[in-house]
Amino acid sequence: MKIILKRLKKRNKLSYISFWIIIFLYLSALLADLISPYPYNKQFRDYPLCPPTRIHFFDYNRKFHLRPFVYEIRLVNPALNKYEIVKEKKCPIYFLVKGERRKILGLFYSDRYLFGTKEGKVFLFGTDIHGRDIFTRILYGARISLSIGIIGVSISFFLGFLIGGISGYFGGKIDNFLMRLVEIFMMFPSFYLMLSLRAVFPLNLSSFQIYLLIVIILSLIGWAGLARIIRGMVLSIKEEEYILAARALGLSTFRIIFKHIIPNTFSYTITAITLSIPGYILGESALSLLGLGIQEPYPSWGNMLSVCVGNLRVLSNAPWMLTPGFFIFLTIICFNFLGDGLRDVLDPKNW
Amino acid sequence: MKKILELKNIYVGNEEIKILKNINFEVKKGEVLSIVGESGCGKSMTLRTIIKLLPKNIKILKGKILFNELDITEIQDMERIRGKEIGIIFQEPSSYLNPLFTIGNQIEEAIKNEKSKKLCKEKVFKILQEVGLPENVYYLYPHQLSGGMQQRAMIAMAIVNNPFLLLADEPTTALDVTTALGIINLLKNLVATHNLSVIFVTHDISLARFISDTIIVMYAGFIIEKGTSEEIYNQPLHPYTKKLINCLPEKYRKRERILTIEGEVPSLKNLPSGCPFSNRCDFKIDICEKYLPGEIKFENRIVRCFKYGNIVES
Amino acid sequence: MRQYIFKRLIQFIPLLLGMTFISFIIIQIAPGDYFTQLKMNPEISPETIENMKKLFGLDKPIITQYFYWLKNVFSFNLGESFTYHVPVSYLIKIRLKNTLALSIFSIFLTWIISIPLGIFGAVKEGKFIGKFLSFLAYIGISIPSFFLAMLFIFFISKTGFLPLGGTTSLFYENASFFEKFLDYLKHLLVPGLILTLTGIGSLYRLMKNNFLEVLNSPYIFTAYAKGLPEWKIYLKHALRNAINPMITIFGYELSSILSGAGLVEIITGWPGMGRLILEGVLSSDLYLVMASLLIGGILLIIGNLFSDILLAIVDPRIRLR
C-alpha cells in the first residue's frame, strides 16, 4: 500500500492528489456530525434560498479583525429572494458554539458545534428552498452518495467474480449460458434498466429500504460487464504455463483458483474497482435526482439537486443549489484520476 | 566497382546509451553484404540508421553516411530516397503489411515517378510476376497469403522502383526452411538481374556465407570483424567469430556435443570497460579489460582484437 | 460477407428472446397486474376483460403466458397505458422519434469532433496542447450529464439565446416545412450539445490511444520506409486502422448515449423515451415501462448489428474470412 502510494506520488502527481481528496471527502462524510454547523434537517424559515455567506476579516471601515466574522443578512424581498447585508451587525465566528442537542456518530449527545456564530447565520454554500444549510446537507449527503459507491462495487465484484470465474473456469455449456445472460443484461441501456427495476418496487419505502434497493439495482446492472471481463482474464490465465504446470503437479481446482488465479487478477481488480465507483455514484444521484431514490428530509447529493429539475426560477436565482453537482463531479474526476494512475503504477511492465 | 554506400565513423544513440559505435563499412554495386551477430548487437539498428528511421529518442550522433556520394545524415527530405533508391524488407512480413489494404494497393502506392494509374497497375503486375506471385495477388489482402507469399509481396514492394540498395532484416527467420530457401533464391536472382546491392542482416552465419560476398560480424554495437564470406567462414580471426562458427551444427558429427558460447551478451547500459567481449573470451589478457581494441586492418580484412596487435580505440 | 451478416442475425435471436423473457419476468415479479387495475375501471365491461385475459393467455401456465405475450409484442401490441388509456405502442412511437433524433444528432456530432481531435491529440502527445486536451477529456468523462445539463440551463436562463424544453415553438403550426425543420433543430440543440459534450471525452481518448498504438505498428514503419509523405501515412494507413476498433465499440457507445439521453431529456424537457419511462415509473404504469425497456434493448441490438455490418464492410479480415 505504502509502496503503491509512493510510486503514485513519483509517477502521477494528479492521481496522488486525487487519492488524498478522496480520503478527505470520505473522512468528512464520516465526521459530518462533528464538522457541520447545523443539524441536517434544521430549517431556517427566514432564510430560504439564501446565498453563500461571505466570511470577512476586514469590515466596511477597512479595519482588520483577527477573528473572522460574517455580516448579518436579511430577506428584503421574499418574492425575488433578495437578501441584504446588515452592515452594522458583525457576527464573529467561534469554535464549539452551542446549538441544538444531537447525537454524534451514534455514540453520544452534544450541543456543541465545531464552528458557528452566536448571532447571525453562517451558510458556507447557501441554503435551499426550505432554508436548510447546503454545506451541512452536503456533508450528510456524502454519507449516502459515497458509501453507495463502495458497497455497490463490492457486491457487483462479488457477483462478477463468482459468475465470471465459474464461466471462465468451467467453460462449455455453463460458460455459454452465463455469457448469453451477460449479453442480455448488457443489451439493455443501463438507464432504462435501472428505472425498470425500480418500477418493480413500490415508490414509498423507508430510507433504509430505499438505500438497500438502490444498492441492489445498481449491482444488478453492474455485474454483467465485470463478469465478462473476469471470464476473459480467467480464460487467458488458465492457458498460462504456470497454471498448466500447477495442474500437471496435481493441485486441486480450488487451490488453483485461490492460489494462482485470483492473485493474478489483483492489480486489474484494484484499478477496475476504482474506475467503476463513479458509475454507482452516478446511478444513485440519477435515481435520487428523479425522486426515485433517497427521500427527503434525508439528503443525498442526488436528491439535493432534484429541486433544480424543471425549475428554472430556482436554477437561475440560486445557482449555489448546484453545489452538490459540483461535489459529484469532483468525486468522480478524482476516482478517474486515481484509477488511471493506479493502472499505470500497478502494471508490472512499468515497474 | 562503384561504391553505393559508405558508412564513415557512425555513432548512434542518445545521452544514456550508445547503440552503434564507430561503424565503418562500404557496399559496392551488386555486392551482397551480410551483418551477423546475436540479437541486440545493433544489426537492425544499422539498417534503420541507413534509412534514418530510428526510434524517437535515438539519433545519429556522429559520422557520415555516403549514399551515391550524397551524405544522408544531412538530407532533410528522406522521402525521395526511401523506397525509391533504398528498399527494405523485414522479418515478419505479416505485421509489416497493412491488413486493411490490398497487396496491389500497397505496392502501387510505393511507385514513384509514375502518374498514370494504368501504367502503375501494369508495373505492379510485372513486379508480382518477377517475385514469383500470381497476378490475382494484386486483389488479395495480406491475411489471405501465406508467410512466404507475404514476404515475396514485401520484396516486390521494396524493389518496384528499381532501387540501388535493398536492406533485408532477417527476411527468412520467421519462415520455414523450404519457404526460406525460396526467398533466398529469389533474392539471389534479383541481385543478378537488377545488379542490386543488398545488406543482409541475419544471425545465421552459414546462411550469410551462402548468400553474401562480404560478412561483417557485430558485437555490442561494434564491428568486430569484417572479411569476405569465405575468409570469415574458413579462417575466422576474432575469438567471437570463431565461437559463432563453432556453434554451427554442421561442424559436428552425430551424437557429438555442440559447443556453445558461455555467458551472455552484456547489456548496452553497463558494458564492461575495455573489450565488450572480454567477459566471455577464452584468450583474455590483462589489456582486454582495460582498453577497447581498435580496428586492425589486414589487406581487406578488419578485426578488433588485441590478439592481432595493440591498437587502442580512441 | 452475406454469410457473416446472416450468422450475426441468427445470433441475435436468442438475445432478443432472452431480453423479452427478462422483461416479462420483471412484469411478473412486480406486485399487482394489469387486470386488477382494469377491473377497478367501471368503463370497461367484464366481458372485455375476459377477452383480454384470453388474448394474454392468463389462464395458462407461466411459460405459455410468455409466448402469448411474445406474440403480442411481435404484433406491436405492447399493452395499454394505465394512465393515458391509449396503446403503449402509440405513446412510444411519438417519443421514439425524438429520442432517435437526439441520439443520432449527438452521435454524429461526437464522432465528427472526436476523431480529428483524437488524431490531433495523438500527434501532439506529450506536448502542452496534448496534455491540455487530455485534461479536458478527463473533465468531459467525469462531469455527470445531469450536472452539465443544469449548468447549461443556468447559462441559457441568464442569456436566453436558445429555446428550452419541448420540440417546437409556438409558431410551429403555421410554419413552412423548412422553418419547422429549423425550429425542431433549434430545440434539439440544447440536449444535443449536452450529450455531445459528455460523449466527446471518452471517444477522444479512445481515438487518441488507438492512433498512438497504430503509429507504433510495423506497417506504419513500412509506410515510412516506402517513402510516403507523412500526411498520407496519417490519413491513409493510420486513420483506417485506428478507426476500426472504434466501430466495434459503437454498440457500447450507443448504450451510453441512450442512457445519457434519458437523463438529459428529463432535465432539459425533451419529450423522448427517457421521460416516458420516468413518467411510467412515477405513475406505476408497468406496461409502459417494460415496453420502453424492450424498445431500448431492441435499439441497442440494431445498433450492434449496424456496427457489425459496418466493421465487415471496412475490415477485409472479417469480410473475407
Side-chain angles (χ1 to χ4, degrees):
Chain A
M1 184 74 192
K2 247 186 185 162
I3 306 170
I4 293 174
L5 268 184
K6 229 180 228 167
R7 220 174 266 143
L8 212 54
K9 189 177 175 182
K10 217 172 113 191
R11 285 186 66 99
N12 198 330
K13 283 265 171 351
L14 218 49
S15 65
Y16 182 71
I17 296 167
S18 301
F19 173 79
W20 287 111
I21 294 179
I22 291 169
I23 294 286
F24 175 76
L25 287 170
Y26 272 85
L27 272 182
S28 334
L30 194 69
L31 303 177
D33 297 325
L34 292 174
I35 304 168
S36 65
Y38 304 105
Y40 69 84
N41 52 0
K42 174 83 180 165
Q43 301 186 356
F44 298 98
R45 295 291 169 95
D46 303 335
Y47 297 93
L49 290 181
C50 172
T53 322
R54 284 186 60 184
I55 293 173
H56 301 261
F57 283 95
F58 292 91
D59 60 22
Y60 277 92
N61 306 320
R62 301 255 173 97
K63 204 180 145 211
F64 176 75
H65 299 261
L66 188 61
R67 184 175 285 284
F69 63 91
V70 297
Y71 283 105
E72 191 174 301
I73 36 177
R74 208 168 47 201
L75 184 63
V76 286
N77 186 342
L80 291 173
N81 275 316
K82 255 196 123 118
Y83 284 86
E84 190 187 70
I85 288 172
V86 185
K87 283 190 183 173
E88 305 81 58
K89 198 111 187 217
K90 285 202 287 274
C91 316
I93 295 173
Y94 294 97
F95 280 109
L96 298 178
V97 288
K98 236 179 180 168
E100 271 175 53
R101 267 170 76 81
R102 87 283 192 213
K103 208 170 186 180
I104 288 180
L105 299 173
L107 295 174
F108 53 90
Y109 286 90
S110 165
D111 59 355
R112 296 280 169 178
Y113 287 81
L114 183 66
F115 67 94
T117 50
K118 284 176 181 154
E119 298 167 285
K121 298 281 175 285
V122 50
F123 303 124
L124 289 178
F125 296 154
T127 65
D128 64 11
I129 45 172
H130 301 294
R132 293 175 297 196
D133 179 30
I134 289 182
F135 175 67
T136 303
R137 288 178 70 76
I138 279 178
L139 283 173
Y140 280 94
R143 289 182 163 182
I144 304 275
S145 300
L146 294 181
S147 65
I148 268 182
I150 303 279
I151 297 174
V153 152
S154 319
I155 297 178
S156 278
F157 262 79
F158 177 74
L159 284 174
F161 261 97
L162 197 71
I163 292 168
I166 290 174
S167 197
Y169 195 84
F170 294 104
K173 273 186 186 158
I174 302 175
D175 180 37
N176 216 333
F177 172 75
L178 288 175
M179 282 308 110
R180 289 297 89 71
L181 194 68
V182 162
E183 269 172 30
I184 291 167
F185 266 87
M186 290 179 75
M187 267 299 154
F188 289 116
S190 51
F191 179 74
Y192 288 38
L193 189 57
M194 185 170 80
L195 288 194
S196 305
L197 289 172
R198 182 66 187 83
V200 174
F201 299 91
L203 287 177
N204 300 315
L205 293 169
S206 78
S207 292
F208 182 68
Q209 281 172 324
I210 291 236
Y211 184 87
L212 275 187
L213 183 62
I214 294 176
V215 170
I216 291 168
I217 289 177
L218 294 180
S219 312
L220 266 179
I221 297 171
W223 69 273
L226 277 168
R228 193 151 89 164
I229 296 165
I230 302 281
R231 168 185 171 267
M233 283 172 67
V234 171
L235 276 183
S236 69
I237 293 172
K238 211 168 83 173
E239 297 304 314
E240 297 264 353
E241 256 112 60
Y242 60 85
I243 299 292
L244 290 179
R247 237 179 240 242
L249 286 172
L251 296 188
S252 71
T253 303
F254 193 73
R255 210 185 143 94
I256 291 174
I257 291 177
F258 279 88
K259 276 226 106 132
H260 295 279
I261 294 186
I262 289 186
N264 271 294
T265 58
F266 175 75
S267 70
Y268 168 78
T269 313
I270 294 282
T271 316
I273 283 181
T274 318
L275 288 175
S276 46
I277 286 176
Y280 294 83
I281 295 177
L282 278 176
E284 183 277 326
S285 312
L287 273 177
S288 300
L289 177 82
L290 301 176
L292 300 171
I294 304 298
Q295 303 289 326
E296 296 270 339
Y298 208 82
S300 91
W301 288 351
N303 77 6
M304 289 172 74
L305 288 171
S306 61
V307 193
C308 304
V309 180
N311 198 334
L312 261 182
R313 200 180 68 90
V314 170
L315 205 55
S316 59
N317 289 334
W320 56 87
M321 288 291 288
L322 290 178
T323 332
F326 171 76
F327 276 90
I328 298 172
F329 168 57
L330 178 71
T331 314
I332 290 173
I333 202 170
C334 284
F335 272 113
N336 281 337
F337 275 136
L338 180 64
D340 282 353
L342 282 177
R343 173 164 44 206
D344 198 26
V345 162
L346 290 174
D347 188 349
K349 274 180 238 140
N350 293 336
W351 283 19
Chain B
M1 254 187 298
K2 203 183 144 209
K3 269 187 232 166
I4 290 287
L5 179 80
E6 187 174 10
L7 270 70
K8 276 185 176 171
N9 195 24
I10 284 287
Y11 285 78
V12 170
N14 52 26
E15 288 82 40
E16 284 168 32
I17 47 169
K18 306 277 172 286
I19 296 171
L20 297 180
K21 283 149 288 193
N22 198 4
I23 301 293
N24 296 286
F25 66 83
E26 55 186 55
V27 182
K28 295 194 186 76
K29 190 141 187 68
E31 182 187 6
V32 178
L33 175 126
S34 283
I35 303 180
V36 179
E38 287 168 277
S39 33
C41 68
K43 295 169 295 182
S44 305
M45 210 47 88
T46 311
L47 295 192
R48 296 184 71 164
T49 307
I50 294 169
I51 47 170
K52 278 174 76 182
L53 279 177
L54 292 164
K56 261 186 189 146
N57 53 346
I58 288 169
K59 302 231 147 44
I60 301 175
L61 303 171
K62 219 167 103 179
K64 277 183 179 170
I65 303 171
L66 296 177
F67 179 70
N68 284 336
E69 268 128 44
L70 191 77
D71 189 356
I72 282 181
T73 56
E74 281 170 7
I75 290 183
Q76 293 305 317
D77 52 339
M78 274 301 285
E79 285 82 14
R80 66 192 170 93
I81 292 185
R82 289 181 201 141
K84 185 161 175 273
E85 298 178 8
I86 305 178
I88 184 166
I89 57 177
F90 305 96
Q91 182 175 352
E92 277 175 49
S94 59
S95 51
Y96 280 91
L97 286 165
N98 193 328
L100 300 185
F101 297 98
T102 59
I103 299 293
N105 184 325
Q106 294 189 54
I107 299 177
E108 229 164 54
E109 71 173 1
I111 297 175
K112 307 220 166 162
N113 306 336
E114 185 60 78
K115 291 282 179 286
S116 137
K117 276 215 166 142
K118 206 178 141 229
L119 289 179
C120 266
K121 200 167 171 182
E122 270 170 25
K123 215 169 173 180
V124 176
F125 282 132
K126 220 182 110 209
I127 205 82
L128 283 175
Q129 195 191 9
E130 201 171 0
V131 299
L133 289 172
E135 273 195 359
N136 73 320
V137 166
Y138 182 93
Y139 303 100
L140 296 182
Y141 289 92
H143 74 278
Q144 295 170 303
L145 304 182
S146 68
M149 289 168 91
Q150 286 173 342
Q151 193 60 284
R152 282 170 195 267
M154 278 300 292
I155 294 172
M157 202 186 294
I159 61 164
V160 70
N161 288 313
N162 227 338
F164 293 100
L165 179 65
L166 178 68
L167 310 176
D169 191 353
E170 307 204 29
T172 57
T173 312
L175 304 173
D176 63 51
V177 184
T178 44
T179 324
L181 285 179
I183 298 289
I184 295 290
N185 285 333
L186 171 64
L187 284 177
K188 279 201 145 186
N189 280 342
L190 291 175
V191 170
T193 51
H194 289 242
N195 204 7
L196 193 64
S197 309
V198 178
I199 301 181
F200 192 88
V201 160
T202 176
H203 57 257
D204 183 347
I205 202 164
S206 56
L207 177 63
R209 173 202 179 205
F210 173 69
I211 193 169
S212 53
D213 309 310
T214 314
I215 292 182
I216 283 174
V217 183
M218 284 188 75
Y219 190 83
F222 290 102
I223 291 179
I224 55 160
E225 185 164 3
K226 188 189 153 199
T228 64
S229 52
E230 291 308 317
E231 283 168 347
I232 296 274
Y233 192 76
N234 295 322
Q235 302 141 7
L237 296 178
H238 197 281
Y240 176 67
T241 320
K242 282 180 185 168
K243 286 199 163 192
L244 266 186
I245 289 169
N246 263 330
C247 293
L248 295 172
E250 64 243 36
K251 294 265 170 180
Y252 295 85
R253 269 170 293 152
K254 218 176 178 183
R255 287 168 200 266
E256 207 177 358
R257 213 165 151 258
I258 299 177
L259 292 172
T260 55
I261 309 178
E262 304 273 312
E264 276 174 32
V265 187
S267 90
L268 286 174
K269 275 185 183 157
N270 44 1
L271 282 178
S273 58
C275 173
F277 190 59
S278 59
N279 60 339
R280 299 165 83 185
C281 183
D282 295 339
F283 305 97
K284 186 175 71 183
I285 43 177
D286 289 346
I287 188 173
C288 296
E289 288 187 328
K290 282 184 195 131
Y291 299 102
L292 187 62
E295 288 185 344
I296 300 163
K297 293 194 173 84
F298 297 97
E299 293 155 33
N300 278 330
R301 300 191 66 175
I302 288 172
V303 65
R304 198 186 273 273
C305 179
F306 286 124
K307 247 174 98 182
Y308 304 96
N310 282 340
I311 296 179
V312 175
E313 175 88 12
S314 47
Chain C
M1 171 96 162
R2 216 173 280 162
Q3 213 179 351
Y4 167 79
I5 291 171
F6 187 69
K7 217 174 104 195
R8 295 301 292 164
L9 271 171
I10 296 282
Q11 278 169 352
F12 277 117
I13 289 174
L15 215 58
L16 200 63
L17 285 178
M19 283 174 77
T20 49
F21 189 67
I22 285 182
S23 309
F24 176 74
I25 292 288
I26 295 177
I27 297 179
Q28 292 296 319
I29 302 171
D33 68 35
Y34 183 44
F35 297 102
T36 38
Q37 299 231 9
L38 277 187
K39 273 175 199 158
M40 285 188 277
N41 190 341
E43 284 170 36
I44 296 167
S45 68
E47 290 90 67
T48 358
I49 293 181
E50 276 311 304
N51 276 340
M52 287 192 78
K53 274 198 174 176
K54 268 209 190 107
L55 194 64
F56 283 93
L58 285 194
D59 42 354
K60 307 259 165 51
I62 219 163
I63 290 292
T64 329
Q65 277 187 41
Y66 166 65
F67 284 107
Y68 271 95
W69 183 75
L70 199 63
K71 205 184 104 201
N72 285 315
V73 167
F74 278 111
S75 48
F76 289 102
N77 183 2
L78 295 162
E80 193 160 300
S81 160
F82 299 153
T83 26
Y84 298 98
H85 301 294
V86 286
V88 166
S89 47
Y90 169 76
L91 286 174
I92 286 182
K93 220 161 49 192
I94 309 172
R95 301 297 185 90
L96 186 61
K97 190 192 81 186
N98 291 333
T99 290
L100 279 181
L102 175 59
S103 305
I104 292 170
F105 174 80
S106 49
I107 286 174
F108 179 74
L109 219 56
T110 316
W111 284 65
I112 271 288
I113 296 172
S114 319
I115 286 176
L117 210 60
I119 297 173
F120 182 72
V123 175
K124 297 281 175 194
E125 173 82 352
K127 303 216 172 77
F128 172 77
I129 182 89
K131 283 179 186 167
F132 180 69
L133 280 176
S134 289
F135 188 75
L136 281 188
Y138 264 107
I139 292 179
I141 291 166
S142 306
I143 198 160
S145 56
F146 56 82
F147 182 50
L148 188 68
M150 287 171 176
L151 289 177
F152 246 75
I153 293 174
F154 172 70
F155 285 113
I156 287 170
S157 72
K158 289 285 172 202
T159 53
F161 67 93
L162 277 175
L164 264 177
T167 59
T168 51
S169 307
L170 288 173
F171 66 86
Y172 189 77
E173 287 301 317
N174 32 20
S176 70
F177 174 78
F178 184 67
E179 279 171 335
K180 277 182 178 175
F181 178 73
L182 266 188
D183 189 48
Y184 189 81
L185 208 63
K186 235 165 133 189
H187 281 80
L188 185 63
L189 217 50
V190 173
L193 281 180
I194 293 165
L195 261 186
T196 304
L197 282 178
T198 50
I200 287 177
S202 58
L203 220 54
Y204 160 78
R205 227 159 61 154
L206 221 68
M207 184 63 199
K208 190 193 81 180
N209 291 341
N210 285 344
F211 204 78
L212 280 176
E213 207 181 303
V214 168
L215 280 188
N216 279 327
S217 57
Y219 50 79
I220 294 297
F221 191 85
T222 311
Y224 275 108
K226 270 193 261 187
L228 295 185
E230 200 147 41
W231 63 265
K232 197 169 180 185
I233 295 174
Y234 283 170
L235 292 186
K236 182 179 173 187
H237 291 268
L239 182 64
R240 273 290 300 276
N241 283 280
I243 282 186
N244 266 17
M246 304 279 286
I247 294 171
T248 42
I249 61 117
F250 177 79
Y252 173 80
E253 274 294 313
L254 186 66
S255 165
S256 67
I257 285 269
L258 274 181
S259 285
L263 260 177
V264 171
E265 278 167 10
I266 291 166
I267 290 166
T268 58
W270 179 257
M273 297 275 294
R275 260 181 65 183
L276 188 68
I277 195 169
L278 176 69
E279 285 160 18
V281 176
L282 286 175
S283 56
S284 301
D285 200 342
L286 206 59
Y287 282 76
L288 186 57
V289 174
M290 282 312 129
S292 310
L293 176 66
L294 205 57
I295 296 293
I298 290 171
L299 277 186
L300 278 199
I301 287 192
I302 295 171
N304 274 294
L305 201 62
F306 176 70
S307 82
D308 280 348
I309 293 172
L310 201 61
L311 195 65
I313 292 172
V314 297
D315 195 331
R317 282 166 298 183
I318 294 172
R319 188 185 346 138
L320 302 168
R321 196 161 39 188

